[in-house]
Amino acid sequence: MGDFRDIELSGSTIRNGRIYFDVADQSFFPMDSFGDRTRLKGKGGTVTFIAGADSHQTDIRMISGVRIGPRKSFARYFEAIKAVEGGKLRVVRVAERTYKFEYLGA
């Protein structure tokens, strides 16, 4: 598919392991993958994120009116790659429900 999004990593993103996309990026993910922030109203369909040697299945949270992001924390991945604030993370769609992280550095 070759579709990707680049994200600049903030210090809090690295510390908390949370990846955030602009709500305008909803079309980057399958429409059935979205769940609410707390799962009280429901969980979305599973997508897979490949982070280094690990793969994680999770849904996409509707965090607010302006942000969405995977429910899973990737703090361990950021630690393993020694991510730094201001570094770039490329999220590549490799299949309809599969995404791969590529750390591009600072």
Side-chain angles (χ1 to χ4, degrees), residues 16-57:
N16 299 317
R18 299 293 180 190
I19 298 172
Y20 300 109
F21 296 85
D22 190 277
V23 74
D25 287 324
Q26 281 183 357
S27 64
F28 188 56
F29 301 100
M31 288 312 296
D32 70 344
S33 67
F34 294 96
D36 75 326
R37 183 177 182 158
T38 62
R39 289 191 191 173
L40 293 176
K41 294 181 184 173
K43 183 179 173 189
T46 301
V47 294
T48 300
F49 288 92
I50 300 167
D54 298 326
S55 70
H56 307 276
Q57 288 71 41

Side-chain angles (χ1 to χ4, degrees), residues 85-97:
E85 188 170 353
K88 299 268 193 253
L89 181 71
R90 177 165 288 171
V91 182
V92 180
R93 182 171 36 202
V94 295
E96 183 181 350
R97 303 186 80 83

